[in-house]
């Protein structure tokens, strides 16, 4: 008797037919391909994936994905991610957005999203500028730096995304580079597999507005030494082995912070920090709020009887 096997999913499976209008040479192309490769690596069927974006060039990402998608408001990626994940906890929910969207307009949601430890993945396309609106300085541009799109140099300190994520309570924190696609795909796959709030901050080249952090700058063509290196090629261990050991948690956080502020100016890629603790969904399950079936399939927002609450508010 002939046996049938499910067709293998490839990166192409996750491509949409929508015309891509990013500028030629934009780092965003590499990130989308890496996301598609990561989903193929994990063999997650497209109808089990939702990609949620904010406003910015990166906001167009869901249009280019052959998965579910939602292009939401500026800075509101994570509230939408949270709603989707709670409505259907079986979905693989991936937030995507720029540095301006995530670390500027949506920074409050960035903090709240991280500390809940909901099981989502957030990819931040970090190019130091608000590229969609002609390249104004974003929160990640360094003090004293001026791109060709800025009227003057920045007079404020930059946000360090790794430090912000550590302080907010993200349980998986990594950094990738848009032009190292295979390596980035592997990081994204790890972030998706992690149970909890996962951030992948991604250095993204924007040849149209950011002439400082170009491909040749990341490669160190001006300084004679590559600026990027990989944490996993050293003895760096990002994993907290005993989540109940507060000293170990603090030590791993301090180590990640030090790496993210490396005084040599070199820029590490890879996983900075990883902690396995119960997710927000686990806590809701323990309280009996979240059951086996997704809320969306039950046709109700909560399994709880909310009538007494409504009566009280009436
Ligand atoms: Fe990419 Fe920059 Fe063009 Fe936007 S403006 S599509 S980020 S190169
Ligand atoms: Mg940006």
């Amino acid at each position: 008797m002939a046996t049938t096997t499910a067709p293998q999913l490839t990166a192409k499976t996750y491509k949409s037919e929508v015309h891509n209008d990013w500028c030629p040479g934009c780092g965003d192309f590499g990130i989308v391909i890496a996301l598609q490769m990561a989903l193929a690596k994990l063999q997650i069927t497209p109808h089990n994936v939702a990609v949620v974006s904010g406003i910015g060039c990166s906001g167009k990402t869901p249009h280019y994905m052959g998965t579910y998608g939602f292009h939401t408001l500026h800075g509101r990626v994570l509230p939408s991610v949270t709603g989707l994940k709670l409505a259907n906890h079986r979905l693989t929910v991936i937030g995507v957005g720029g540095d301006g969207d995530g670390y500027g307009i949506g920074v409050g949601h960035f903090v709240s999203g991280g500390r809940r430890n909901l099981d989502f993945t957030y990819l931040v396309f970090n190019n130091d500028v608000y590229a969609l609106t002609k390249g104004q300085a974003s929160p990640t541009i360094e003090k004293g730096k001026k791109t060709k799109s800025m009227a003057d140099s920045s007079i404020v300190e930059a946000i360090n995304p790794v430090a912000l994520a550590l302080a907010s309570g993200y349980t998986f924190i990594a950094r990738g580079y848009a032009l190292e696609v295979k390596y980035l795909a592997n990081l994204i796959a790890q972030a998706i597999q992690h149970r909890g709030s996962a951030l992948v901050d991604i250095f993204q080249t924007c040849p149209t507005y950011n002439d400082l952090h170009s491909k040749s700058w990341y490669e160190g063509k001006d300084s004679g030494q590559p600026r990027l290196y990989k944490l996993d090629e050293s003895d760096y261990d990002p994993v907290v082995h005993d989540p109940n050991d507060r000293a170990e948690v603090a030590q791993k956080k301090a180590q990640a912070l030090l790496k993210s502020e490396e005084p040599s100016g070199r820029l590490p890629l890879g996983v900075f920090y990883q902690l396995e603790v119960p997710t927000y969904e686990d806590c809701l399950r323990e309280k009996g709020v979240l059951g086996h079936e997704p809320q969306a399939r039950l046709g109700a927002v909560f399994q709880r009887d909310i009538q007494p609450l409504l009566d009280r508010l009436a």
Side-chain angles (χ1 to χ4, degrees), residues 98-112:
D99 40 321
D101 193 73
Y103 305 142
I105 311 275
V107 71
H109 297 303
F110 182 88
V111 173
S112 300

Side-chain angles (χ1 to χ4, degrees), residues 108-278:
H109 297 303
F110 182 88
V111 173
S112 300
R115 67 180 267 269
R116 285 194 194 102
N117 199 33
L118 194 77
D119 188 14
F120 66 79
T121 301
Y122 188 23
L123 310 179
V124 178
F125 298 30
N126 183 355
N127 57 16
D128 311 314
V129 290
Y130 285 89
L132 191 70
T133 50
K134 305 260 181 277
Q136 299 87 350
S138 91
T140 53
I141 194 94
E142 279 171 75
K143 186 176 181 180
K145 291 288 172 71
K146 176 184 172 315
T147 65
K148 63 180 173 182
S149 60
M150 289 162 57
D152 205 341
S153 52
S154 170
I155 55 170
V156 289
E157 292 292 343
I159 275 182
N160 172 347
V162 173
L164 187 65
L166 283 167
S168 305
Y170 283 76
T171 52
F172 180 98
I173 303 168
R175 183 196 278 153
Y177 175 47
L179 304 184
E180 283 213 40
V181 177
K182 270 194 196 160
Y183 186 75
L184 178 59
N186 194 33
L187 281 180
I188 296 173
Q190 287 181 66
I192 293 171
Q193 282 181 304
H194 172 75
R195 293 186 78 250
S197 50
L199 169 73
V200 186
D201 179 71
I202 304 164
F203 290 142
Q204 180 238 314
T205 46
C206 168
T208 303
Y209 294 118
N210 189 338
D211 51 330
L212 297 179
H213 297 160
S214 59
K215 180 174 183 282
S216 66
W217 183 85
Y218 281 114
E219 289 171 356
K221 294 264 166 68
D222 57 329
S223 61
Q225 188 192 34
R227 284 201 166 77
L228 301 174
Y229 74 94
K230 293 175 182 133
L231 287 172
D232 40 316
E233 289 175 357
S234 66
D235 58 2
Y236 186 87
D237 177 11
V239 178
V240 175
H241 296 280
D242 180 0
N244 297 316
D245 182 347
R246 294 186 71 86
E248 193 201 353
V249 173
Q251 186 263 326
K252 287 285 160 83
K253 281 190 173 179
Q255 164 190 271
L257 182 62
L258 273 175
K259 274 290 166 202
S260 72
E261 300 268 356
E262 209 162 90
S264 68
R266 294 200 71 202
L267 302 166
L269 303 177
V271 182
F272 283 75
Y273 177 78
Q274 187 168 12
L275 171 72
E276 293 281 348
V277 285

